[in-house]
Amino acid sequence: MTQTLEPPTPAVQSGPAQTWLADFEAALKERDVLRAAGLFATKSYWRDLVAFSWNLTTVEDPSGVADLLGSTLDRVDPSGFALEEPEATADGVTTAWFTFETAIGRGRGLLRLKVEDDRPKAWTFLTTLYELKGHEEPRGVRRPKGAEHGVNRDRVTWAEKRQAEAETLGLTEQPYAVVIGGGQGGIALGARLRQLGVPSLVIDRYERPGDQWRGRYKSLCLHDPVWYDHLPYLKFPDNWPVFAPKDKIGDWLESYVKVMEVPYWSSTTATSASYDEAAGEWTVTVSRGGEEITLHPKQLILATGMSGKPNIPDLPGMDIFEGEQHHSSKHPGPDAYEGKRVVVIGSNNSAFDICGALFEHGADVTMVQRSSTHIVKSDTLMDIGLGDLYSERALASGMTTEKADLVFASLPYRIMHEFQIPLYQQMAERDADFYQRLEKAGFRHDWGDDGSGLFMKYLRRGSGYYIDVGSAELVANGDVKLAQGQVSHLTSSAVVLEDGTELPADLVVYATGYGSMNGWAADLISQEVADRVGKCWGLGSDTTKDPGPWEGEQRNMWKPTQQEALWFHGGNLHQSRHYSLYLALQLKARFEGIETPVYNLAPVHHLA
């Protein structure tokens, strides 16, 4: 019997995305910028993470595409655009994952097509660099062998190499990069730089890695779920709690530093820094164990956290108040305040957490709400807001952490709120009873200026929200008392609001948030440098606490700034994981002497 063998099905079927990529590559090869730009829709967005721009930047519409390509095409010399998996079409949008190469590296991206004038055109286009040619990370098939087989009388063991590095790096040998701040951001970047072979040193003022978490109020836990919070290379085990307690996170960070061999100086405080433009290096003075040490890195990264520099109000009467007062970042926990009258000024995450823990321990707690706050219940957020990307459900559908990060990154900030608004409408409907009770108690609630909810508030201003893990119910039912208005002054025994309301207090907690990260630059370097860099964080959305003009990316984060060789790295665990890659690649390229002309270096519009 004759058997007929069908030809194998191609791994990737031909479709509009494959055709679009072929047309795009042909236009690029011919250096036909206008033809390439014509493949983009009238309203379209190209977000590039380092691959073309040596920057984190978004251009809009065919004119923006033409400008980006006109400035970078000859140098980048992109090629090899190919689908990474079959494209998919739903609701009139074709989505396609692809890979490509540049003259110096390899990248991957995500394309979304819409039909315009009877032709599929790019609506959103994400390009990211993930490795440099000739400088690939020692992972997978490139992993180090570890063992040195054979006989070698001059053998140096792993432990001896690590000890030698500890005795020389920063002392007799200068690191190329110094990372100030050893929390999740600093060590994630430190691990990336370690794998890329960039001599770097992470310094932190605390005694042990993870003390940044251990020292906070004892009820603190992550409000983001475990699937969202992995660090690079080393994911949490699959039995890790969904919301990890602070001390467990502290221990994880400490073990991460050891396992990933991050060069790390604890109990080290940076006291001053200055940049020598002629020499192209920093002078960084640190105090370590009572000894003053001077470092001379080429690159300086402030990883002190976007929630690291406390905003402490200067109120009349603070000097005469006879009780205890401190910022939420210094709050030790509720144990000492049973039966005490506590006034918590603020109504965001820390305020609610602290109020809840104090109530549990028998304190008489009053929350002072000065402006409206967005609240979303944790379970609802995990299901509707994150479930498709970061959850067991997402993993079961094939959505890896790395893929989810790129999906999130592929949504241009300009239109991200359009994706968020319907999600938060669903949340409002699901928890309508909760919001009615909360507002009936007098709490001022909002959904963001345009109804786009928590994520946009976070990206635009980094404040103004609470992920409810239970404490909002205490306000709704009156167990935690609520006062409204701005604080006028303190007396010896009370907080007084502008309307004259007196709130007797034995303890005042200022849950008043944090300032822009360039404040750290002012303290460490100079106010001149802080002003040269300008405000960190925010998009220029012209919404509350995010003044315009539109900037299109997070101000100054993970990318070149107006101060040569000064970088900022911060954000939540998700951002520390994802964006540390692009920052590390930018630093690696400079370390290797690769030319890194920056396209669209952001101007400064706001100083703080």
Side-chain angles (χ1 to χ4, degrees), residues 499-561:
D499 66 1
T501 301
E502 289 197 18
L503 306 173
D506 302 301
L507 166 68
V508 178
V509 180
Y510 300 105
T512 46
Y514 299 86
S516 171
M517 284 183 68
N518 67 328
W520 291 113
D523 292 346
L524 180 67
I525 309 168
S526 69
Q527 188 62 53
E528 178 187 1
V529 167
D531 290 346
R532 184 181 307 148
V533 169
K535 179 181 175 67
C536 297
W537 208 259
L539 304 171
S541 62
D542 211 20
T543 56
T544 303
K545 295 189 178 181
D546 184 27
W550 178 252
E551 302 196 32
E553 293 286 338
Q554 293 285 332
R555 297 183 187 97
N556 285 318
M557 302 303 299
W558 318 294
K559 61 182 181 179
T561 69

Side-chain angles (χ1 to χ4, degrees), residues 302-318:
L302 298 186
T304 43
M306 61 163 290
S307 297
K309 190 170 180 59
N311 276 333
I312 302 175
D314 183 12
L315 298 171
M318 290 176 71

Side-chain angles (χ1 to χ4, degrees), residues 332-352:
D335 294 4
Y337 304 108
E338 182 178 353
K340 301 290 187 180
R341 299 165 302 178
V342 183
V343 174
V344 177
I345 300 173
S347 56
N348 293 338
N349 269 334
S350 294
F352 271 100

Side-chain angles (χ1 to χ4, degrees), residues 462-509:
S463 66
Y465 54 84
Y466 169 54
I467 302 175
D468 180 31
V469 292
S471 294
E473 291 289 350
L474 299 175
V475 173
N477 63 28
D479 288 329
V480 168
K481 290 175 284 189
L482 181 66
Q484 296 282 357
Q486 298 296 324
V487 177
S488 169
H489 63 280
L490 275 65
T491 67
S492 61
S493 59
V495 174
V496 182
L497 304 184
E498 287 183 342
D499 66 1
T501 301
E502 289 197 18
L503 306 173
D506 302 301
L507 166 68
V508 178
V509 180

Side-chain angles (χ1 to χ4, degrees), residues 1-6:
M1 186 175 80
T2 303
Q3 184 177 16
T4 302
L5 297 178
E6 296 292 333

Side-chain angles (χ1 to χ4, degrees), residues 350-361:
S350 294
F352 271 100
D353 282 351
I354 290 169
C355 284
L358 287 165
F359 175 81
E360 283 184 348
H361 284 72

Side-chain angles (χ1 to χ4, degrees), residues 371-375 439 444-449 457 461 464:
S371 59
S372 65
T373 303
H374 168 56
I375 297 180
E439 292 168 5
R444 288 184 288 158
H445 180 262
D446 70 75
W447 293 91
D449 287 13
K457 269 204 167 188
R461 54 184 280 193

